[in-house]
Amino acid sequence: MSKPLGGRTITARLKSGENLTEIIKHYENYNAKQRTHNHEDLWFHQRLTRGNAVHNLKKSGSTQGLFLVRESVNIKGSFVLSLIHKGDTQHFQITTSPHSGCFSIDNGPPFVGLDQLVHFYRTGCNGLPTALIHACKGHTVPAFLQQYGENTIIHQAVDEGIDTAVFNQILNHSNCPHLNTRNNSGRTALHEAAARGLNDLVLELYKRGADVKTRDAEGNSPLHLACRGDHAETCKILVKHCFSKPQDRCCGTGWVPLHDAAYYGHHQCIDMLLRHGAACYPRSVNGETPLDLADKRHQTNSLLILQRYQPPKPHYSSSHWLHNAVDRHKAVELLEHAGLRNGCFLVRMSKRHPGQYVLTMSFDKTVFNYEIKNKNNWFYIDDGPLFSSLEYLIDYYCRCSDGLPAELTSPVTPFARNDLPPVPGPSRPKMNERPPAPVPSNNKPSKNHGVIQQSYIPGLLPNPSDTLEDIEPSSIVLGRELGQGEFGSVLMGVWTNPLGKKVPVALKTLHGEHINTGEAEFEREAGVMMGLNHLCIVKLYGICRGETMMMVQELVAMGSALDYILDYPSAVGQADFKLWGAQIASGMNYLESKGFVHRDLALRNILLASKALVKISDFGLSRAVGAGSNYYKASAGGRWPVKWYAPESINYGTFSSSSDVWSYGITLWEIFSKGEQPYGTMTGAQVIQYIEDDKRRLIRPEGCPEKVYSIMLQCWAYNPKERPTFLRLHHKFRSDPDYFNMEVPGHRDNLDS
Ligand code: ADP
């Protein structure tokens, strides 16, 4: 037991006649005295609007690297970093992982405390435009948001193993401190209670809202600590009643609770975890399984349990989900036929890696593909656990999502079951012949010792290499340059496709100097495009991985619509523009139905196949919208095309089809103003003020019909819900008489998809 404040326990104080209010006050006063008043630590601003953040930073001198962290006014528990760079204020959403409660900016490393995050970005830019230099004076960050917080009365009560009735009185008290506050050792009261096996207190804390996912300063969940402390009953309570997940990893080591139990030889905990659905062979960042740890530490009993463990009999046999002659396209069709229900799935053979399998599943109306690797008779997805058979693997993911967008629910069953290939049954894989250790994705190396490295991934990434068609470099002849892309030039070319047909193509290259920085983005863009098939969206034929990596796309003959309109303003008119408006809306409606937001819809990204056919391109910023929601949340600030962005995207980093509709309105404005720059020479900050504070909108371009301008204004409704849908926008233009006078050879019917 650690020494209580003032040398006396809560129990002793109560006995001597002090009441609870006095004792709580005593703790509050002590902690208040300990708090630092160093100006540089006072960067936290509670419930501050974006406008006020800009104002405060300006008032404090707008020096380079001046910063503050503010709590969002609208979304409680959501934080934004506002930062001065080159005299301008930039805002970065701080995301909170739903799996661990850790904070991060964009794809940067996760931190258990906001103080730890700020410390990290003070040590260098680390992906931001500048390092954080001086704090814009606000308050101390609340203790429950710190990595190492303060010892509250609740920690003391747990430390004393206090009577449950008294504990409840403390938790019910109106001045009870925040339940998720970490103490000086970086643990919440729930961590401490779990580590000590105080089951009643664990349950009381959980019932009152303590977070079972919260990590301690080292990245461990309460369940990790219960296993470490050999408290099998506490483990059971955490898993069964508090919904702790046995697959949650320690942010630092990648250990799941089973690793802790095996390392310390706590075989009752091992038994309990396995009985409650834990996978037997999860891998740490170093690739070690619990069995390795038990072996290394000579924990004989634990070793025996792990060696003898037999997973439960799989609910489905392979005949329910294994498809022999199904390729990626057919798999998508089958899932579409099944209504793209959440968790609907099938397993097929990989074309790219003969002998390997691919899990194809639908979630949120989107299809995801995961390569199932098979090495030395072990089956696994990405850095997930190892399984001795494909059936065990599928059964595990039916019971828990563990990185997939959702649990697998219903298999798509093949019609002819007798054409199935034999499924590798549970053979005895040799433990010394194992696949390589999982490589933590997303892991920016940290120079800061205190930083927890990201070793878990919030969602397994669909494997782009499986979803992308590989095109042989020898089948391509390069031609002239068409334009400059972000990661290299875009070339014209001819591709001889597998049927021997010569197809004119555009080749988007990833040049050598961008390979490290751009490859993931490049593959992501290709991954989005590969599943799209619509007349008004540029088609991707595949990826060519020769000396230079290239995206092989349909050639859109007349190139950029913006360049065309600027070069030949008198060659196009209102009727063309209405047709383009209808076509872009149609393409965007299709994109929405596939569960994607574009995030960069602008005239510069519209290509012209002919004057009568436009195509949407540049999916570099596109994202699949997240699980269970219809918007995507981003955090990068620097490169955002603010003039095309809806207010909620600028303020909160949220993107949806409705924010794409706002950008569509700006694109229409560009078209009808024949390529003018929206908002002229205004800066991003001025534009935001113009829209938000002055409640103004772009003015009607000269010659633009009132009817069209009113459509633009509808797209710029402040409330996303009040904006029209792409389907409505498409029909609005289609019902215009001008539309019918246009020539759309053979295309018009296709647009109504
Ligand atoms: P990035 O997204 O990397 O900025 P873009 O997709 O905008 O690159 O391409 C740059 C330029 O290359 C475009 O403005 C356009 O002129 C040309 N281009 C890109 N894709 C095609 C295509 N499929 N057909 C014809 N020209 C294209």
Side-chain angles (χ1 to χ4, degrees):
M1 207 201 289
S2 55
K3 207 163 159 270
L5 289 186
R8 288 163 66 220
T9 61
I10 302 171
T11 320
R13 283 174 185 277
L14 286 170
K15 263 197 190 140
S16 69
E18 270 181 73
N19 68 33
L20 215 47
T21 309
E22 287 164 349
I23 304 174
I24 292 179
K25 193 87 209 140
H26 171 75
Y27 274 81
E28 276 176 2
N29 289 343
Y30 177 82
N31 284 324
K33 264 194 228 140
Q34 301 295 311
R35 269 172 222 144
T36 164
H37 295 290
N38 177 354
H39 179 112
E40 282 306 332
D41 292 329
L42 306 178
W43 38 258
F44 188 76
H45 296 243
Q46 233 154 5
R47 297 172 63 78
L48 189 69
T49 62
R50 192 175 184 291
N52 286 341
V54 173
H55 176 77
N56 288 1
L57 287 163
K58 216 183 250 170
K59 229 174 56 188
S60 303
S62 290
T63 51
Q64 179 70 3
L66 185 72
F67 75 98
L68 57 84
V69 174
R70 60 190 164 93
E71 189 185 7
S72 157
V73 177
N74 300 337
I75 311 170
K76 206 170 171 330
S78 170
F79 304 97
V80 180
L81 168 71
S82 299
L83 168 66
I84 298 286
H85 177 56
K86 294 192 176 156
D88 261 348
T89 312
Q90 295 193 6
H91 305 270
F92 297 87
Q93 192 81 32
I94 298 173
T95 39
T96 311
S97 160
H99 303 275
S100 62
C102 288
F103 302 111
S104 59
I105 293 183
D106 207 0
N107 288 324
F111 303 92
V112 295
L114 281 179
D115 53 339
Q116 193 191 10
L117 177 143
V118 164
H119 179 75
F120 175 68
Y121 288 105
R122 274 184 189 271
T123 61
C125 298
N126 294 317
L128 291 179
T130 164
L132 310 183
I133 301 174
H134 288 303
C136 174
K137 190 163 180 271
H139 306 275
T140 337
V141 64
F144 71 92
L145 297 172
Q146 294 180 22
Q147 180 187 18
Y148 295 99
E150 49 199 34
N151 294 356
T152 67
I153 185 166
I154 320 178
H155 290 102
Q156 174 60 32
V158 171
D159 207 27
E160 283 173 35
I162 214 162
D163 176 71
T164 319
V166 181
F167 195 60
N168 278 337
Q169 281 175 27
I170 298 174
L171 298 186
N172 285 335
H173 196 279
S174 54
N175 292 339
C176 173
H178 197 292
L179 293 189
N180 295 330
T181 306
R182 289 184 196 83
N183 60 11
N184 290 342
S185 324
R187 288 179 174 185
T188 66
L190 186 59
H191 280 104
E192 296 288 13
R196 289 170 165 75
L198 301 172
N199 299 339
D200 291 346
L201 305 195
V202 164
L203 270 171
E204 289 308 327
L205 282 163
Y206 172 73
K207 273 197 254 162
R208 286 187 168 67
D211 188 352
V212 288
K213 299 185 306 290
T214 301
R215 304 309 165 92
D216 68 4
E218 289 167 2
N220 293 302
S221 68
L223 185 59
H224 283 95
L225 299 190
C227 285
R228 217 180 268 183
D230 199 9
H231 302 299
E233 193 55 28
T234 314
C235 288
K236 188 166 155 193
I237 288 172
L238 282 167
V239 174
K240 269 190 83 170
H241 302 291
C242 311
F243 306 102
S244 284
K245 297 205 170 120
Q247 68 271 20
D248 277 351
R249 294 173 167 199
C250 167
C251 306
T253 56
W255 281 20
V256 297
L258 193 66
H259 281 104
D260 291 88
Y263 182 87
Y264 291 102
H266 296 156
H267 52 89
Q268 284 175 341
C269 291
I270 297 180
D271 195 46
M272 205 293 306
L273 288 167
L274 292 175
R275 268 194 285 129
H276 286 87
C280 189
Y281 300 108
R283 289 171 295 160
S284 68
V285 187
N286 306 331
E288 285 177 315
T289 64
L291 197 133
D292 294 327
L293 299 180
D295 193 18
K296 216 154 91 182
R297 303 253 306 168
H298 308 297
Q299 308 286 11
T300 325
N301 282 343
S302 302
L303 195 62
L304 277 179
I305 296 177
L306 290 164
Q307 280 170 337
R308 288 181 186 161
Y309 172 73
Q310 276 295 319
K313 190 172 176 304
H315 185 70
Y316 295 114
S317 80
S318 60
S319 63
H320 289 102
W321 40 253
L322 187 63
H323 293 243
N324 187 12
V326 159
D327 64 5
R328 180 171 45 81
H329 296 290
K330 184 76 187 150
V332 173
E333 245 173 54
L334 287 169
L335 288 172
E336 278 176 349
H337 190 70
L340 291 177
R341 272 171 294 130
N342 287 350
C344 201
F345 73 100
L346 58 86
V347 177
R348 59 190 173 84
M349 312 289 286
S350 167
K351 235 167 124 185
R352 212 172 127 73
H353 302 291
Q356 307 270 21
Y357 297 86
V358 178
L359 166 68
T360 304
M361 70 176 291
S362 48
F363 180 73
D364 230 8
K365 301 287 173 216
T366 305
V367 173
F368 297 86
N369 290 286
Y370 297 94
E371 196 169 288
I372 302 173
K373 302 234 170 64
N374 173 8
K375 283 205 183 115
N376 307 328
N377 287 328
W378 289 106
F379 294 82
Y380 59 99
I381 296 180
D382 212 340
D383 65 350
L386 307 175
F387 298 92
S388 58
S389 86
L390 198 52
E391 289 191 334
Y392 286 146
L393 179 143
I394 293 298
D395 193 57
Y396 174 74
Y397 287 106
C398 284
R399 283 181 281 117
C400 99
S401 60
D402 199 0
L404 298 181
E407 283 162 22
L408 304 177
T409 50
S410 39
V412 175
T413 303
F415 292 114
R417 292 196 186 173
N418 48 5
D419 70 337
L420 293 172
V423 185
S427 53
R428 274 253 154 236
K430 289 195 203 92
M431 285 316 293
N432 53 355
E433 281 179 30
R434 280 230 310 281
V439 181
S441 77
N442 238 351
N443 193 1
K444 281 191 194 157
S446 123
K447 291 186 208 93
N448 176 2
H449 187 66
V451 168
I452 287 174
Q453 303 252 318
Q454 180 152 343
S455 59
Y456 68 93
I457 17 179
L460 296 178
L461 294 169
N463 184 352
S465 58
D466 176 68
T467 54
L468 297 182
E469 215 70 73
D470 261 344
I471 290 183
E472 272 295 308
S474 59
S475 66
I476 287 184
V477 180
L478 301 179
R480 71 173 170 87
E481 187 178 291
L482 289 167
Q484 275 297 325
E486 189 183 344
F487 297 119
S489 42
V490 182
L491 304 175
M492 201 174 193
V494 177
W495 168 47
T496 310
N497 76 7
L499 303 171
K501 201 173 154 208
K502 293 200 183 313
V503 185
V505 288
L507 302 156
K508 215 167 160 175
T509 60
L510 175 68
H511 270 193
E513 73 265 32
H514 297 298
I515 288 202
N516 290 331
T517 48
E519 190 166 333
E521 275 303 300
F522 203 73
E523 292 231 10
R524 190 201 286 273
E525 179 174 357
V528 170
M529 290 181 79
M530 203 64 204
L532 304 177
N533 186 9
H534 188 276
L535 186 68
C536 301
I537 292 182
V538 175
K539 253 186 221 25
L540 177 71
Y541 294 128
I543 280 235
C544 177
R545 297 167 205 271
E547 246 168 71
T548 327
M549 190 160 156
M550 296 190 287
M551 245 186 262
V552 185
Q553 297 183 354
E554 142 186 43
L555 178 73
V556 186
M558 288 164 63
S560 152
L562 177 62
D563 291 347
Y564 186 85
I565 228 173
L566 289 170
D567 290 344
Y568 311 102
S570 50
V572 277
Q574 305 280 329
D576 302 290
F577 298 161
K578 286 176 187 165
L579 180 71
W580 298 0
Q583 292 176 341
I584 299 170
S586 171
M588 290 302 296
N589 180 43
Y590 170 82
L591 196 67
E592 179 181 359
S593 74
K594 291 279 171 185
F596 285 105
V597 286
H598 189 289
R599 295 177 69 210
D600 199 7
L601 184 58
L603 191 55
R604 63 181 170 276
N605 293 326
I606 302 295
L607 300 178
L608 276 184
S610 71
K611 259 174 35 173
L613 183 60
V614 294
K615 295 192 182 246
I616 303 164
S617 82
D618 206 342
F619 291 79
L621 288 179
S622 299
R623 296 288 186 271
V625 285
S629 82
N630 56 1
Y631 69 85
Y632 168 83
K633 200 157 184 171
S635 49
R639 287 189 298 124
W640 282 13
V642 168
K643 288 184 172 181
W644 280 261
Y645 271 7
E648 70 275 12
S649 308
I650 302 172
N651 291 334
Y652 308 114
T654 55
F655 293 87
S656 61
S657 290
S658 306
S659 60
D660 275 348
V661 165
W662 179 290
S663 314
Y664 171 87
I666 307 283
T667 311
L668 269 188
W669 185 92
E670 291 182 274
I671 293 173
F672 281 85
S673 65
K674 295 202 169 179
E676 271 194 38
Q677 170 76 237
Y679 309 97
T681 54
M682 276 191 199
T683 63
Q686 287 165 334
V687 171
I688 294 159
Q689 181 170 15
Y690 185 81
I691 294 168
E692 291 224 311
D693 302 343
D694 307 344
K695 301 197 179 2
R696 291 170 65 187
R697 297 291 180 266
L698 284 166
I699 55 170
R700 183 168 67 90
E702 213 182 295
C704 169
E706 275 297 349
K707 227 167 113 187
V708 174
Y709 183 58
S710 92
I711 296 177
M712 292 179 202
L713 290 176
Q714 289 166 33
C715 294
W716 302 327
Y718 193 85
N719 181 348
K721 289 197 184 113
E722 286 169 16
R723 293 173 208 151
T725 60
F726 280 116
L727 189 63
R728 237 181 86 207
L729 288 164
H730 171 54
H731 287 298
K732 265 183 196 248
F733 281 104
R734 276 217 57 175
S735 58
D736 192 294
D738 270 352
Y739 183 92
F740 292 101
N741 298 332
M742 291 297 303
E743 282 286 306
V744 197
H747 295 325
R748 187 176 296 169
D749 293 341
N750 296 342
L751 291 179
D752 276 337
S753 56

